[in-house]
Amino acid sequence: MRYAETGFNLEVDLTRGNIERVATDPRLTELYLGGLGTNAKILWDRVPPDVEPFSPDNLLIFSTGLLVGTPAVGCNRTIVSTISPQTQLMAFSMMGGFWAPELKYAGYDKVIIRGKSSDLVYLWINDDKVEIRDASHLQGKGTTETAELIRAELKEPNAQVSAIGTAGENRVYFASIEQGKSSASRGGIGAVMGDKGLKAIAVRGSKDIFIARPEEFMALCNEVLEYIKVRRENPIPGVMPILAGLGSPQEMVIHDEKWHTENFAWGNSRVRRKGFWTKEVAEQWTGTMESMRTRLISCHNCPMKCAATISVPGLPTYMMKCFSKLTYTMAAMSDLEFGLSIAQRATEYGVDAFSAPQVMAFALELYEAGILTDQHFPGMPSDNEGRFYWLLDRIVRREGIGDILANGTHWAAEQIGNGAEEYAHNNIKKHEQLPLKLSMLNPIYFLMYSTGEKINITQIEGNFPQAPFVTREEREEFAKDWIQVPNEKIKQHFLDWEPRGEHSIPHYPGVDATCEIVDWQEMMHYIDDATGMCAGLSSFPLKPPYHIHNLPTLISAATGIDLDEEGLKQIARRNRNLVRAVNIRRGMRRKDEKPPADHWKKRFPELETELIDTYYRFKGWNEQGIPTRESLRELSLGYVAADFLKRGILADGEDAPSRETSGQEEET
Amino acid sequence: MKGEQRKKIVKTIKIDVDKCNGCRACELICSAFHAAPQYSSNNPRRARIRVVHDPLRDIYVPVYAGEYAAAECAGRDKYTIDGKEYDECSFCRASCPSRDVFKEPDSGLPLKCDMCESEPPLSEPMCVQWCLADALIYEEREEEVEEEEAQEEIEIGLEAMASKHGWQKLLDTAARMSRKG
């Protein structure tokens, strides 16, 4: 009997058209939980480092989290993992919605796709009946449109559909996988799906998910619901509204965009516009949102309403969430009406709402700078908004200059040359980032940006406040019921952290304290990504209902696995190191671990070196960021160490830990 | 069976379709509550509440399982409310042969909402407790009703089996099985 998980994966070979239902090893659940953890294990075992992203041997894994489909509130994430065409590293974009729970109810924890289909197909999973079906009639169809057409032809209005659009079909390096209101957008995983000739996966399930210790588990779930109510009535004072509550930043609800529009960068992540948020703009944008937003909506089993149905007059209805509200508007230096309108087309095409607008702004900057000229833009309209639509159409079809831009700013700049590299300035590990230009280096963010392997700041930042509170009283008030903090030390770092003076950034929190804070925040994300818990109720917001002190019991009660806090931390460390190992084996090193070039004006090279050095040591990595043999063995990752030694990534003695490893360990 | 006039507490759930956020927590928790042992499993397909949803047309209708209907009805009409078109079926509580809702997925037996009757009684049915959007509001009101003899759960089940297989077959099977036992 398996609890919380189904104990079965679906293995689909698109080259041969072969489908198998494969029982999984329960020991892997104990070691890696599920979701990202077991995905990383599969990629490590089955995708050697010489496999190109667009090789039939690359795997595309759609995984549910371990607790998805149980009553755990807000636990609904699909973790999609593959090798990214853009970063050439492991991509593990995720989405909420309803797809993962439905897959669990159909009786599977993961769908593992390998090979390539010569014709466009889609997968239809209906409990035990799984079919590869022709999708030639869906070629070029939008993501929402595809989902609707599939539901209609299957006569299954309640089937959940994950689909790619034109961008994925044409292997755009920042193509997304869309699922109604949710999307797995980062890292170009939609391009891998397109490369495999897979248009969509539709799923419907009618089986039971079991809980090991129901009474204990339900008591925790009810506590979580109660705490959500408490937090709803008690927003955190002293922080901006989008950070005061739970959920992902409430972009669909909150109209006040002073913070984003004046502190985030416009265009190709270039300019900050102080004084932009006037009364007139506020009124106009509020009017736009209120007239186009039909309803606030949620993911499976979650009371937060982070998404909305958007109906722009004259355009088909679509669904939106979070900061995609502003990325197109700000890249184009336009208004919200434009942003909501072009997002409709972009969602149907299936592109990432961080990368796509930035790539277009980048292209127009190159045009202004004379690096790209009229010959690259034949027939481009002269108006600003028109140019964005024109570019979007060309990128997703890979037509003309669009074929180059479709590879993202890093690769496009390399191809264009002539100084274009300077314009691809807002990337980490070749991937476009949130458009921010700030003044003083923040040591916490520096480490998170540089070393995070989700390569996306919102997926590593979290429970520690983004900025110090002004007065000691405010800090004490915040810390009073801060039950989520892992230890008193971190609480003290926050209490002593001040906006100015000796105890302010960049030298406070100190290097060691910074390492502890970053490690905590990252650990919470790695736990969520294994359980399928939404970061919005756990690793992301201030004072969430799920935290390191209640998650071990929740996971244990659901699965029956013995687990305490130290055990869960150990699993998070194991998963973190395994993801790093996949990337290290693909060539990632210290030189790649840098924040976006133009992110902070005031930089501190010596401090930055010390931060990286100390953090690597803290994590048990050598000076290149490679997990040492000893730390790998402590995490039962001896097989990784053995592989590193075999490949010469680690040499005997080179990673010399401070003490000798005790005895002989079996390397499996 | 002839009922008699008497006062009774009627338990109802007020449904506000405008407030529904479509999370379907009600379906999940309903099926978990009714699992045996309680909360040991969940499966929305066993739920006695169903959110009829069509996000692109902004349709969200939580509907509770009511009486079993042996035959398909003629109801194929459409309602337009606030410019949105609803199937008549969307509001119907019956477990009936024309659709696959409100039936146990394995046996096909009909499901019916029991307001989470339990001992000790809950303050509110679980779906209401888990609906933080307040789309479901529990209400008790006193009404004068002509009360029918409450049909036991087993009777509902037997009636459904009988209408599927016929009384004779059912009685024969019951007789055969009881001899074995």
Side-chain angles (χ1 to χ4, degrees):
Chain A
M1 182 84 176
R2 302 284 277 267
Y3 297 101
E5 59 182 349
T6 66
F8 291 96
N9 290 340
L10 203 54
E11 294 271 0
V12 179
D13 182 339
L14 288 174
T15 306
R16 298 177 180 188
N18 189 47
I19 301 168
E20 271 177 85
R21 178 172 174 265
V22 179
T24 59
D25 181 351
R27 282 176 307 176
L28 293 180
T29 311
E30 288 174 17
L31 284 168
Y32 311 96
L33 294 182
L36 175 64
T38 37
N39 280 8
K41 172 72 173 142
I42 292 167
L43 285 179
W44 173 270
D45 287 345
R46 292 170 52 184
V47 182
D50 55 344
V51 170
E52 294 293 325
F54 292 147
S55 155
D57 295 334
N58 188 9
L59 298 180
L60 177 66
I61 309 171
F62 286 75
S63 180
T64 63
L66 179 60
L67 301 187
V68 166
T70 73
V73 179
C75 198
N76 49 44
R77 308 280 282 173
T78 309
I79 299 96
V80 189
S81 305
T82 188
I83 303 300
S84 158
Q86 193 183 35
T87 66
Q88 307 275 327
L89 303 172
M90 178 173 168
F92 44 107
S93 200
M94 293 166 290
M95 55 187 169
F98 296 84
W99 195 91
E102 201 69 40
L103 186 69
K104 275 270 181 86
Y105 294 131
Y108 312 98
D109 298 319
K110 294 181 200 290
V111 182
I112 303 168
I113 312 279
R114 67 179 187 274
K116 264 188 211 198
S117 167
S118 47
D119 304 307
L120 195 63
V121 294
Y122 76 89
L123 194 63
W124 166 224
I125 304 167
N126 187 9
D127 287 333
D128 297 333
K129 208 175 116 204
V130 184
E131 299 168 23
I132 297 169
R133 295 174 64 107
D134 174 52
S136 51
H137 58 299
L138 299 171
Q139 184 159 17
K141 298 286 185 210
T143 54
T144 314
E145 205 181 358
T146 296
E148 291 283 286
L149 288 166
I150 287 178
R151 285 189 196 104
E153 74 181 44
L154 296 173
K155 296 190 176 63
E156 286 280 353
N158 293 320
Q160 300 298 336
V161 182
S162 292
I164 53 167
T166 311
E169 286 177 37
N170 291 327
R171 308 197 304 183
V172 172
Y173 282 13
F174 42 93
S176 61
I177 298 170
E178 302 276 333
Q179 182 226 140
K181 51 168 281 308
S182 306
S183 64
S185 302
R186 305 290 279 157
I189 53 176
V192 176
M193 190 159 165
D195 181 64
K196 298 204 170 296
L198 183 63
K199 179 70 178 171
I201 307 180
V203 59
R204 185 85 175 107
S206 65
K207 298 186 184 182
D208 302 335
I209 306 289
F210 298 95
I211 295 295
R213 302 196 300 273
E215 237 174 273
E216 192 184 348
F217 181 76
M218 280 311 297
L220 278 165
C221 291
N222 284 317
E223 262 177 40
V224 162
L225 267 189
E226 285 309 309
Y227 191 76
I228 290 171
K229 288 189 213 165
V230 170
R231 283 287 280 104
R232 193 158 64 174
E233 300 308 316
N234 299 282
I236 310 282
V239 297
M240 70 193 89
I242 54 160
L243 298 178
L246 297 173
S248 78
Q250 296 294 292
E251 285 295 296
M252 299 299 111
V253 183
I254 290 165
H255 295 304
D256 183 352
E257 290 293 0
K258 184 178 168 65
W259 161 252
H260 284 132
T261 56
E262 297 193 358
N263 289 287
F264 281 44
W266 294 67
N268 180 26
S269 189
R270 291 290 188 192
V271 279
R272 274 168 73 176
R273 296 166 84 180
K274 287 283 164 206
F276 173 82
W277 192 252
T278 59
K279 194 162 161 271
E280 290 71 40
V281 174
E283 271 170 23
Q284 192 206 349
W285 288 27
T286 303
T288 299
M289 193 41 129
E290 297 215 312
S291 67
M292 295 181 181
R293 185 188 62 199
T294 320
R295 185 184 294 253
L296 293 168
I297 50 177
S298 305
C299 294
H300 182 254
N301 188 26
C302 181
M304 305 310 300
K305 291 180 269 192
C306 304
T309 323
I310 305 283
S311 295
V312 179
L315 295 178
T317 296
Y318 72 108
M319 288 165 264
M320 171 181 262
K321 75 275 171 194
C322 207
F323 197 55
S324 50
K325 174 185 173 185
L326 293 187
T327 50
Y328 291 96
T329 295
M330 290 180 68
M333 310 279 284
S334 186
D335 58 17
L336 186 59
E337 188 175 343
F338 165 76
L340 296 187
S341 305
I342 195 170
Q344 187 275 328
R345 197 183 290 189
T347 304
E348 288 292 355
Y349 282 153
V351 285
D352 174 28
F354 281 130
S355 290
Q358 201 157 116
V359 168
M360 295 189 279
F362 157 84
L364 292 173
E365 230 183 35
L366 290 179
Y367 181 51
E368 276 165 37
I371 296 172
L372 291 176
T373 60
D374 284 330
Q375 62 163 14
H376 295 105
F377 302 99
M380 181 170 74
S382 56
D383 68 301
N384 179 42
E385 281 84 0
R387 287 174 164 183
F388 273 78
Y389 281 107
W390 189 90
L391 279 168
L392 181 61
D393 289 350
R394 262 131 209 96
I395 288 169
V396 302
R397 297 194 187 108
R398 281 190 174 273
E399 281 171 14
I401 188 69
D403 190 29
I404 294 170
L405 295 172
N407 296 340
T409 56
H410 172 85
W411 299 107
E414 204 175 277
Q415 215 173 328
I416 294 164
N418 204 12
E421 288 88 348
E422 294 293 304
Y423 295 77
H425 68 97
N426 195 36
N427 296 338
I428 304 174
K429 299 177 178 124
K430 308 181 178 70
H431 194 37
E432 293 80 13
Q433 300 298 313
L434 198 64
L436 272 165
K437 263 170 86 83
L438 301 168
S439 175
M440 178 65 78
L441 178 112
N442 177 323
I444 302 171
Y445 276 74
F446 170 80
L447 273 188
M448 292 193 296
Y449 269 121
S450 303
T451 65
E453 268 159 277
K454 237 182 288 186
I455 319 182
N456 191 2
I457 193 63
T458 56
Q459 299 297 325
I460 174 169
E461 67 181 347
N463 296 165
F464 195 82
Q466 293 189 3
F469 288 14
V470 180
T471 67
R472 182 101 202 163
E473 292 69 49
E474 281 174 295
R475 298 197 284 272
E476 275 167 3
E477 186 62 27
F478 178 86
K480 212 171 58 187
D481 58 356
W482 197 12
I483 51 170
Q484 294 80 359
V485 75
N487 56 51
E488 288 302 308
K489 244 161 80 184
I490 288 182
K491 197 186 263 185
Q492 199 57 46
H493 300 324
F494 169 73
L495 285 169
D496 296 339
W497 191 25
E498 289 175 352
R500 264 168 214 89
E502 207 185 318
H503 278 186
S504 69
I505 59 170
H507 294 290
Y508 197 92
V511 173
D512 291 332
T514 297
C515 291
E516 288 163 25
I517 294 164
V518 171
D519 184 64
W520 167 40
Q521 304 207 89
E522 183 174 67
M523 173 182 77
M524 297 316 297
H525 280 280
Y526 272 80
I527 295 170
D528 287 348
D529 300 346
T531 59
M533 186 65 72
C534 177
L537 287 180
S538 184
S539 46
F540 185 78
L542 298 171
K543 298 188 177 173
Y546 295 105
H547 44 80
I548 190 62
H549 309 304
N550 66 5
L551 280 165
T553 326
L554 186 85
I555 297 167
S556 174
T559 58
I561 295 171
D562 278 335
L563 197 63
D564 57 12
E565 237 173 87
E566 191 38 51
L568 184 56
K569 286 176 178 171
Q570 181 78 347
I571 292 172
R573 280 194 288 269
R574 181 175 301 126
N575 290 351
R576 173 71 190 92
N577 276 275
L578 191 52
V579 168
R580 173 149 288 239
V582 171
N583 287 336
I584 289 289
R585 202 168 62 165
R586 296 191 69 86
M588 190 190 78
R589 293 294 183 274
R590 182 179 183 135
K591 64 176 171 24
D592 303 304
E593 305 233 284
K594 288 184 296 201
D598 206 16
H599 191 84
W600 287 291
K601 201 152 70 187
K602 294 180 191 152
R603 297 286 293 267
F604 300 83
E606 275 175 35
L607 173 64
E608 293 174 17
T609 305
E610 195 191 344
L611 280 164
I612 296 267
D613 281 343
T614 315
Y615 193 59
Y616 279 0
R617 271 199 306 274
F618 182 92
K619 293 291 238 190
W621 302 340
N622 70 16
E623 81 290 348
Q624 275 301 316
I626 303 167
T628 63
R629 197 154 47 139
E630 188 189 42
S631 57
L632 288 168
R633 282 179 177 166
E634 273 170 11
L635 294 167
S636 316
L637 294 174
Y639 61 91
V640 171
D643 184 273
F644 279 179
L645 283 168
K646 201 175 79 193
R647 291 175 191 276
I649 292 169
L650 286 178
D652 265 319
E654 213 177 70
D655 60 318
S658 51
R659 56 199 153 84
E660 291 297 309
T661 47
S662 57
Q664 294 293 312
E665 279 178 67
E666 200 186 343
E667 281 161 0
T668 52
Chain B
M1 203 169 294
K2 186 89 183 132
E4 55 182 75
Q5 290 285 333
R6 52 181 288 185
K7 286 206 168 157
K8 82 172 221 182
I9 300 292
V10 180
K11 298 173 175 177
T12 66
I13 293 168
K14 273 201 335 192
I15 299 164
D16 187 338
V17 298
D18 290 335
K19 285 188 179 157
C20 180
N21 57 336
C23 76
R24 299 167 61 197
C26 50
E27 297 178 1
L28 185 149
I29 200 62
C30 171
S31 69
F33 179 84
H34 290 96
Q38 204 166 59
Y39 302 122
S40 62
S41 69
N42 90 86
N43 177 353
R45 288 284 269 267
R46 299 186 198 280
R48 295 135 194 244
I49 178 168
R50 193 58 63 92
V51 183
V52 176
H53 58 283
D54 185 347
L56 293 176
R57 276 155 282 281
D58 194 44
I59 285 170
Y60 293 86
V61 187
V63 54
Y64 287 87
E67 301 307 323
Y68 167 73
E72 291 191 46
C73 73
R76 293 287 189 275
D77 297 332
K78 305 266 190 192
Y79 287 80
T80 301
I81 305 167
D82 275 345
K84 290 183 270 183
E85 195 177 86
Y86 296 83
D87 288 329
E88 189 177 351
C89 265
S90 303
F91 304 106
C92 181
R93 303 181 57 180
S95 170
C96 83
S98 58
R99 55 179 188 177
D100 73 343
V101 300
F102 302 143
K103 289 170 190 152
E104 282 286 358
D106 7 67
S107 64
L109 288 171
L111 295 160
K112 187 183 171 186
C113 169
D114 60 358
M115 291 277 178
C116 293
E117 245 169 45
S118 62
E119 202 51 57
L122 303 184
S123 60
E124 291 175 332
M126 285 309 289
C127 57
V128 174
Q129 292 188 37
W130 275 50
C131 182
L132 266 51
D134 289 340
L136 308 176
I137 300 290
Y138 180 66
E139 264 191 359
E140 287 182 358
R141 55 173 192 265
E142 204 178 56
E143 266 184 19
E144 202 155 278
V145 289
E146 188 176 328
E147 197 179 59
E148 272 184 48
E149 190 103 331
Q151 223 180 0
E152 294 298 327
E153 236 175 80
I154 191 165
E155 283 186 29
I156 302 173
L158 279 175
E159 224 168 67
M161 296 287 279
S163 69
K164 193 169 173 187
H165 304 289
W167 277 111
Q168 198 51 53
K169 212 168 171 184
L170 191 64
L171 288 171
D172 290 350
T173 312
R176 196 178 65 243
M177 287 176 72
S178 60
R179 271 202 304 274
K180 268 192 216 159

